[in-house]
Amino acid sequence: MPTPTATTAFEGLTYNSRRSEITIPEYGRVVHEMIAHCITIEDKEERTRCATAIVSVMRTLVPGSKEMVDHEKKLWGHLHVMSGWQLNIDAPFPPPARPEEDPGPERLS
């Protein structure tokens, strides 16, 4: 049996430096991939069920989020941000403002 060469040993491996950027890295690439799949679901009711399941996964991945004020609202907001505001779902909270729509706090004099 021939020994694998250096080039064949690394075929099929994907390095994070070659992958696309992820918006909120605390949730990991798998959650971002689940959201990308959720966007492709055509039925809105099924898409909403998928989004609810993803928020449940997000809740377990970041257990400290339960101590935040309005943690559910923040999780749903993070879902919209990570989807690039592409999710058309019946969420319990409205999506957060896009960065270009949010003027931010007023400047101090």
Side-chain angles (χ1 to χ4, degrees), residues 38-99:
C38 187
I39 293 169
T40 65
I41 298 173
E42 292 184 19
D43 181 44
K44 186 175 184 179
E45 189 176 314
E46 182 65 28
R47 198 170 44 245
T48 301
R49 279 198 301 271
C50 180
T52 303
I54 293 170
V55 169
S56 177
V57 170
M58 291 165 57
R59 192 179 305 111
T60 59
L61 288 175
V62 185
S65 68
K66 293 176 186 170
E67 296 155 9
M68 294 188 298
V69 177
D70 297 334
H71 73 280
E72 283 292 317
K73 183 176 180 180
K74 289 183 182 183
L75 289 173
W76 283 95
H78 287 171
L79 177 74
H80 284 287
V81 170
M82 289 186 288
S83 74
W85 288 270
Q86 294 180 8
L87 275 176
N88 179 16
I89 56 173
D90 295 323
F93 303 100
R98 295 173 186 245

